[in-house]
Amino acid sequence: MTDTKITLPESEIPRAFYNIAPDLPTPLPPPLHPGTRQPIGPQDLAAIFPQGLIAQEMSQERWVDIPDQVRDIYRLYRPSPVYRARAFEELLDTPAHIYYKSEHVSPVGSHKLNSAIMQAWMNKEEGVKRLATETGAGQWGSALSCACQLIGLECMVYMVRVSYDQKPYRRIMIRSYGAEVVPSPSPLTHQGRAVLARDPDSPGSLGIAISEAVEDAATRDDTNYALGSVLNHVVLHQTIIGQEAKKQMELAGEYPDIVIGCHGGGSNFAGLAFPFLKDKLDGTRPGLRAVAAEPLACPSLTQGRREYDFGDTGGTTPLMMMHTLGHDFMPRPVHAGGLRYHGSSPLVSHLLDAGLVEAEAYPQGEVFATAVKFARCEGTFPAPESAHAIHSAVQHALKARDAGTPTVILFNLSGHGLFDLAAYESYLTGKMDLNA
Ligand SMILES: *Cc1c(COP(=O)(O)O)cnc(C)c1O
């Protein structure tokens, strides 16, 4: 019997990020300037991003070195284990082997710290004093505030008002890490004041909070902006997940038939899937399937159109070619706050169009039923976001059972749900809108 928990020593923390851009079958359409609609250059991003990250955003190098100082901080929680979900397999009575990469073991409880550390380090290197960002449910805000504290930067977080009010623990965590956090829309920015003038009780949205954080960074010399998903450099940083997982699957003596991640902006899905997709793109693993699982309430990949759209509500960011529901789309208030984003990673969108990745959408009632079953078998409470990946894994494990085919499934447990217990309560007490 192979181990339940497959671990790697710290010496196996990856030394480079994997950049899928040069391996794409066709080049990625460039982002466009919101005013001129011409392709943007590095100088267009310099007001809010450091040169090092802009270079990564546009890089065509397959491997991008990870600085030693960043690898040293990764030692706090990496490499993260891969688990074989034996009890869960038994419950499902499936011949499938189900594995999960456990990104929930990071100090902040999700994969987001992987990119936050790299982004904070690069900004510090280039003399930036302060980072501004947005957060929805609070996962990215807590990751960036933790990284800024570890690296020595100030941090300003615009938190979507409804989460600020309803999810106190994430904002307490952000403050405890030493960052400033305000509800968005806020009176501190032009964008925030404009929304408040129209609707003083606005619950806020991720798109509005992004507009505020970008404005903050663009109007202050000492401040840059940091985004927790979607962009090429964020996806790039997350590829340490899949690189570790490949070594761990090798130790288990298996190669996955299907890799699965939940999909909000695309970073944890891509982080796990891209290093495996490298093998599909170079022809060594033509049969590999990569599945992105999203909420039915915000189905950007399964129902959105692939077109140029803004990353924020205010229409101030560059236009990106991506699957989008429209930058003014207001998703229903499902509990997977981290998946309520109108757009998607241009890289994931590009691969979806090329038929190299697949997408599935699920209603939250089904997702929570799976989350509770998983917790009862494996002990760990999945984040509502991550539970979408688990639910997809269940569907594929049941198909394997019905077809009688042994299938190896690997999904990303992108975060734990210990700050989401109110969502579990609403499910358990029958108050949840199951069909949302
Ligand atoms: C933010 C978040 C997500 C969604 O973001 P991606 O960029 O799509 O990964 C998924 N899971 C968790 C736990 C998150 O915090």
Side-chain angles (χ1 to χ4, degrees), residues 40-325:
I40 57 166
Q43 68 287 353
D44 294 308
L45 298 172
I48 58 169
F49 291 116
Q51 292 301 332
L53 293 179
I54 296 170
Q56 290 184 354
E57 185 67 21
M58 303 184 164
S59 172
Q60 285 293 323
E61 297 295 316
R62 182 169 293 121
W63 298 103
V64 176
D65 282 347
I66 305 176
D68 284 342
Q69 298 94 322
V70 170
R71 288 183 77 245
D72 281 344
I73 302 177
Y74 284 156
R75 284 173 207 274
L76 284 172
Y77 62 101
R78 305 209 70 86
S80 67
V82 161
Y83 286 82
R84 171 90 184 266
R86 291 185 192 285
F88 200 46
E89 285 171 18
E90 217 164 284
L91 176 83
L92 299 171
D93 189 24
T94 174
H97 291 183
I98 305 177
Y99 293 86
Y100 56 97
K101 179 70 167 158
S102 55
E103 291 301 302
H104 70 286
V105 303
S106 94
V108 299
S110 82
H111 68 289
K112 291 211 171 71
L113 193 58
N114 298 334
S115 184
I117 292 168
M118 183 64 219
Q119 292 191 45
W121 184 85
M122 196 65 100
N123 277 286
K124 175 85 176 179
E125 273 290 290
E126 296 188 23
V128 172
K129 297 280 180 273
R130 177 177 173 273
L131 289 181
T133 198
E134 72 291 330
T135 197
Q139 292 267 24
W140 172 245
S142 32
L144 193 70
S145 55
C146 176
C148 282
Q149 187 53 240
L150 294 176
I151 279 164
L153 290 175
E154 289 172 46
C155 184
M156 174 73 189
V157 181
Y158 294 87
M159 184 169 187
V160 176
R161 159 127 248 155
V162 54
S163 303
Y164 186 93
D165 293 337
Q166 289 173 2
K167 302 194 174 177
Y169 297 111
R170 283 279 169 196
R171 76 168 140 80
I172 294 167
M173 197 174 178
I174 292 167
R175 253 183 215 133
S176 304
Y177 281 131
E180 193 178 336
V181 52
V182 294
S184 165
S186 80
L188 302 180
T189 65
H190 178 77
Q191 292 282 347
R193 287 190 296 274
V195 176
L196 288 172
R198 286 196 303 271
D199 177 9
D201 298 320
S202 166
S205 74
L206 214 43
I208 296 169
I210 295 175
S211 298
E212 288 206 273
V214 169
E215 180 183 328
D216 180 316
T219 52
R220 283 181 59 147
D221 279 347
D222 65 346
T223 301
N224 265 347
Y225 170 68
L227 189 64
S229 186
V230 180
L231 299 180
N232 299 347
H233 69 270
V234 184
V235 165
L236 176 77
H237 303 157
Q238 295 297 352
T239 59
I240 55 178
I241 300 172
Q243 291 185 62
E244 289 176 5
K246 278 178 90 169
K247 290 183 191 163
Q248 288 161 310
M249 292 306 292
E250 220 174 286
L251 287 176
E254 307 219 67
Y255 191 93
D257 297 296
I258 309 178
V259 293
I260 304 172
C262 66
H263 184 280
S267 74
N268 91 86
F269 163 70
L272 178 69
F274 283 7
F276 288 97
L277 278 168
K278 180 175 181 296
D279 299 343
K280 188 180 176 82
L281 288 162
D282 71 16
T284 45
R285 295 284 179 176
L288 173 79
R289 295 175 65 187
V291 176
E294 60 183 10
L296 203 52
C298 195
S300 50
L301 295 179
T302 52
Q303 291 178 39
R305 286 164 40 157
R306 185 168 181 241
E307 58 192 18
Y308 274 110
D309 194 10
F310 297 106
D312 68 333
T313 303
T316 60
T317 69
L319 292 154
M320 290 173 292
M321 177 57 104
M322 60 182 177
H323 282 277
T324 174
L325 297 159

Side-chain angles (χ1 to χ4, degrees), residues 350-430:
H350 196 66
L351 288 160
L352 182 70
D353 253 30
L356 290 158
V357 312
E358 305 165 42
E360 301 167 354
Y362 296 106
Q364 70 173 350
E366 285 183 21
V367 168
F368 271 85
T370 289
V372 169
K373 282 185 195 140
F374 182 81
R376 289 177 183 176
C377 290
E378 302 294 316
T380 298
F381 272 92
E385 293 85 0
S386 319
H388 288 72
I390 309 177
H391 191 61
S392 168
V394 169
Q395 307 317 304
H396 292 281
L398 294 179
K399 260 182 225 154
R401 179 183 72 189
D402 295 344
T405 34
T407 305
V408 179
I409 300 170
L410 169 66
F411 71 81
N412 200 3
L413 186 57
S414 55
H416 68 62
L418 294 178
F419 292 112
D420 302 281
L421 294 177
Y424 278 87
E425 184 182 40
S426 103
Y427 174 73
L428 294 171
T429 56

